[in-house]
Amino acid sequence: MSDPDRLKRVDALLNGLDDVLPPPRVRAQLRLAAGLTQKDVADAVGVKRLAVVRWELGKSNPRRPQRDVYMHLLKQLAKRFPEAAELHEGMPTPTSEGGDGMT
């Protein structure tokens, strides 16, 4: 296999990593850092608020095309709030934010 072919294979692997959602707690941290509610995110992505609740609790993951939109939102938030993009053990969970995870 030639070096250009190997470079293409490496690029393909790296591009696949762009489609990996951050852990559920980081999803919530990014939203909270931006001062957004779960309803704000749901309205922007085109889903019900309960879907965002489930994504942030790790009970489900978005499907296409909402996954692409949600991923774009998270990436943009991570650029604006890089400290929120890191997993911090002491950060509030989606359920502690409003008491029931339904905010």
Side-chain angles (χ1 to χ4, degrees), residues 2-50:
S2 69
D3 283 342
D5 290 338
R6 287 195 173 122
L7 290 175
K8 287 179 185 176
R9 289 178 66 185
V10 167
D11 286 343
L13 285 175
L14 294 174
N15 289 337
L17 295 177
D18 290 339
D19 196 28
V20 176
L21 286 167
R25 183 179 294 230
V26 172
R27 300 171 201 176
Q29 286 173 187
L30 288 167
R31 177 182 57 77
L32 292 170
L36 300 172
T37 66
Q38 290 170 327
K39 176 123 176 58
D40 294 333
V41 172
D43 290 346
V45 174
V47 297
K48 295 184 186 239
R49 185 185 49 78
L50 185 57

Side-chain angles (χ1 to χ4, degrees), residues 11-103:
D11 286 343
L13 285 175
L14 294 174
N15 289 337
L17 295 177
D18 290 339
D19 196 28
V20 176
L21 286 167
R25 183 179 294 230
V26 172
R27 300 171 201 176
Q29 286 173 187
L30 288 167
R31 177 182 57 77
L32 292 170
L36 300 172
T37 66
Q38 290 170 327
K39 176 123 176 58
D40 294 333
V41 172
D43 290 346
V45 174
V47 297
K48 295 184 186 239
R49 185 185 49 78
L50 185 57
V52 176
V53 170
R54 293 180 60 78
W55 299 343
E56 290 184 357
L57 291 173
K59 297 197 180 271
S60 69
N61 284 308
R63 296 184 185 161
R64 295 199 195 306
Q66 290 83 12
R67 180 184 177 93
D68 296 332
V69 175
Y70 187 52
M71 181 72 74
H72 179 72
L73 172 66
L74 294 175
K75 285 181 182 181
Q76 296 306 310
L77 292 176
K79 286 179 185 176
R80 290 186 181 195
F81 306 99
E83 69 285 352
E86 299 173 13
L87 186 59
H88 299 291
E89 292 304 317
M91 293 297 290
T93 62
T95 55
S96 67
E97 171 190 337
D100 63 0
M102 301 297 177
T103 60

